[in-house]
Amino acid sequence: MSPALRLVLFDVDGTLVDSQGAIVSAMTASFQAQSLPVPDRTEILSIVGLSLPHAMARLAPDKSDQEQSALVAGYKQAYHTQRLEQGAASSPLYPGAREVIEALHVKPEVLLGVATGKSQRGLDALLEAHGLERYFITRQVADHHPSKPHPSMIETAMAETGASAAQTVMVGDTSFDMEMAVAAKVTAIGVSWGYHDRSALSAAHQVIDGFEHLPETLANIWD
């Protein structure tokens, strides 16, 4: 009898890659271009994971829809420019991420996917920069879904792969990831190295402190 299907979904920013420098820089450029006060670093990182319109609504709640849309456009342009200039260096992988992805990928019963607030263009460019295109069978991005913590990304990933909720795990660094997992009725694994404090991951079934702990954690959940 073949092993049961497993689906592991990863958030990207703050989970797979450390993109905080690029995010803060692009957000700073966007606000400065509109002659607006720049939110502080902690405030900017608190919205990572949300789709950009939702993020801007939180960072500039007193601004009109038109002004918020201009901030979104400015952020996209600044981030894209940085990525072209710096390549993979703008969002380096966290220690152990590649090794764990490769180790999980070789297991025939394990499927890997992504559920991210990034755009399709941004995700595809990131995966290409790091040579990770072949590992993720399902890629859910902000272009096609409501913002986290709505469960749409996870539900679509399960539908695409044929995995059930009991067979699915969401790995992420923010409260939005954990709440999305709970809404989709899948297991939530928080990571402590990302952009939300460990205390914000209260909805997680378990929190890990390094990528090297993920395989054992998954084994314990599924066994």
Side-chain angles (χ1 to χ4, degrees):
M1 181 182 297
S2 60
L5 177 68
R6 309 298 190 191
L7 174 61
V8 183
L9 298 173
F10 292 95
D11 170 57
V12 176
D13 296 309
T15 301
L16 290 179
V17 299
D18 187 4
S19 50
Q20 60 179 303
I23 291 169
V24 172
S25 177
M27 199 66 76
T28 298
S30 178
F31 273 76
Q32 288 178 339
Q34 300 299 318
S35 300
L36 295 174
V38 178
D40 65 35
R41 187 182 190 90
T42 300
E43 190 176 3
I44 291 172
L45 293 180
S46 75
I47 56 80
V48 175
L50 296 175
S51 63
L52 277 174
H54 283 73
M56 291 307 182
R58 291 198 181 196
L59 292 176
D62 58 334
K63 301 304 175 184
S64 67
D65 290 348
Q66 184 176 359
E67 289 171 311
Q68 290 177 7
S69 294
L71 286 169
V72 168
Y75 176 90
K76 287 181 176 180
Q77 182 57 50
Y79 198 97
H80 180 61
T81 300
Q82 284 183 145
R83 188 173 65 239
L84 291 178
E85 293 174 349
Q86 301 176 26
S90 68
S91 298
L93 288 167
Y94 281 106
R98 183 182 301 276
E99 292 79 4
V100 168
I101 289 169
E102 291 175 348
L104 292 173
H105 179 69
V106 299
K107 296 178 180 293
E109 73 276 16
V110 176
L111 303 178
L112 302 180
V114 166
T116 177
K118 282 185 173 299
S119 66
Q120 188 75 62
R121 182 178 73 168
L123 176 63
D124 290 348
L126 179 76
L127 295 180
E128 181 179 357
H130 287 291
L132 296 175
E133 308 99 303
R134 68 189 182 93
Y135 293 104
F136 300 104
I137 193 170
T138 179
R139 304 178 188 180
Q140 307 306 321
V141 297
D143 305 44
H144 312 308
H145 297 281
S147 180
K148 297 176 183 180
H150 192 284
S152 176
M153 289 187 188
I154 295 178
E155 291 171 346
T156 302
M158 291 192 296
E160 286 184 359
T161 59
S164 68
Q167 296 168 323
T168 302
V169 171
M170 177 69 207
V171 183
D173 71 303
T174 70
S175 59
F176 312 127
D177 297 314
M178 302 301 97
E179 292 164 8
M180 177 174 65
V182 170
K185 299 180 173 58
V186 307
T187 300
I189 298 178
V191 305
S192 65
W193 56 81
Y195 304 149
H196 280 195
D197 189 81
R198 192 186 190 103
S199 62
L201 306 179
S202 56
H205 295 85
Q206 192 162 339
V207 178
I208 59 175
D209 296 317
F211 257 108
E212 68 272 15
H213 301 301
L214 183 57
E216 181 182 3
T217 300
L218 291 172
N220 291 337
I221 289 170
W222 287 327
D223 293 343

